[in-house]
Amino acid sequence: MHALSSPFCFAPWFSKPMELRIDVHLPPDNIESDLERLYGRIRSPGDALHGMPGMDSGMPGLVFRHRQADGEHYVYVEDVVQRRLAGYTVFNRLIELDRRADRCLRGPHSKYAKSYQRRGIASAVYKWGLDAGLCLITGARQSVGAHGLWRALAGRYPLIYVQLHNKELRYLGPDVDKAVLDDFDTRMVLLGSNWTPARFAVEAACARAESTA
C-alpha cells in the first residue's frame, strides 16, 4: 500500500461486536449507473476527473486514482483490464464537526459495483487513508458491509467511541455498553498512523465523558 507522495493539507493526526444502527441500503442499479457516468468523466480530456495520478493498489488489474478538493479526498478504483470503474471511496468533511475536529476527522463513504464487493478493495482504500494519517469517523448509520469493514479494521488500527452532539466531541473510550452504542450521537473512530487516543483527544478538542474519567 502506497501513501500519498505529499502530506495532507490538514494536521496528520477491540471492542465488543455490537451493532451501530445498521440500516443503510444502496440500490445496485443506482451504483452501476453512477460508476458508468464517473468513468466516462475520467476518460474525457478536459474533465476535472481526467488525468488523476495512479497509485499501486496491491491488487492485480486495479489502480487507485486520487484527487483532493476542498479538503476532501477521493479514491477511484479503476479496473484497467476491464476498462471500467470498480468503485470509489470519498473521505468527506462533515458539517457536524467544529473547526478543530474537522482538521482531524474524515467520514468515508464508498460505492462499489456488486461484482467488486467482498474482494477487500474498500478495505485496501481505507488502509491507504489510515496509513496516510487520516482518522475516520462513522456516520450515524452504516450498511451491514461497512460495519463489518470497520470491525475488521479495528484489529489493526485503534478504534474508539465518541459522542458527537452540537458540533462537540466527547471521548467515550475503546468500549461502550449497548445503551450508549444505540444512542444516535455515538460514533466509531478509527485512528490513523501515528495517532493515539490521547493525541486525538487534544487535537480534536475532544472532552472526556465523566464515565471514562
Side-chain angles (χ1 to χ4, degrees):
M1 183 62 55
H2 291 258
L4 286 176
S5 57
S6 60
F8 291 123
C9 63
F10 50 91
W13 310 113
F14 193 136
S15 80
K16 299 177 182 177
M18 302 181 191
E19 296 184 344
L20 186 74
R21 297 174 301 284
I22 306 172
D23 57 4
V24 175
H25 302 280
L26 299 174
D29 290 344
N30 290 355
I31 294 176
E32 296 285 354
S33 60
D34 186 30
L35 296 178
E36 184 177 353
R37 176 184 60 81
L38 285 171
Y39 194 57
R41 293 185 59 191
I42 289 172
R43 297 187 60 81
S44 299
D47 192 278
L49 300 187
H50 183 72
M52 289 182 291
M55 300 179 292
D56 180 16
S57 71
M59 294 173 282
L62 299 180
V63 172
F64 291 169
R65 300 200 178 277
H66 169 257
R67 70 184 288 258
Q68 180 179 338
D70 298 324
E72 298 185 323
H73 297 268
Y74 301 75
V75 179
Y76 301 90
V77 182
E78 180 183 2
D79 186 331
V80 295
V81 177
Q82 299 294 326
R83 298 172 68 86
R84 60 177 296 195
L85 195 62
Y88 65 90
T89 295
V90 183
F91 297 100
N92 286 315
R93 300 175 67 180
L94 301 178
I95 60 172
E96 302 100 309
L97 299 175
D98 66 16
R99 185 174 300 178
R100 290 190 63 177
D102 177 66
R103 296 176 60 197
C104 308
L105 288 165
R106 291 296 179 265
H109 294 85
S110 300
K111 288 186 179 181
Y112 288 88
K114 185 176 181 179
S115 59
Y116 293 92
Q117 296 175 12
R118 301 184 182 277
R119 291 172 51 177
I121 299 173
S123 178
V125 175
Y126 277 44
K127 289 176 183 176
W128 171 85
L130 290 161
D131 290 344
L134 289 173
C135 293
L136 307 182
I137 186 171
T138 61
R141 293 181 172 86
Q142 287 186 301
S143 68
V144 173
H147 186 72
L149 171 59
W150 280 72
R151 302 307 316 172
L153 289 170
R156 176 173 174 177
Y157 301 92
L159 184 146
I160 62 172
Y161 291 89
V162 298
Q163 181 187 66
L164 175 57
H165 185 68
N166 290 335
K167 291 185 176 290
E168 294 183 356
L169 285 176
R170 218 173 254 283
Y171 176 75
L172 300 176
D175 196 10
V176 294
D177 61 32
K178 192 177 188 309
V180 175
L181 191 68
D182 287 341
D183 189 275
F184 188 80
D185 293 332
T186 300
R187 309 292 178 90
M188 292 191 293
V189 171
L190 284 168
L191 301 179
S193 179
N194 298 320
W195 284 90
T196 63
R199 180 188 172 194
F200 174 80
V202 172
E203 297 284 356
C206 192
R208 184 173 292 269
E210 292 182 5
S211 60
T212 64

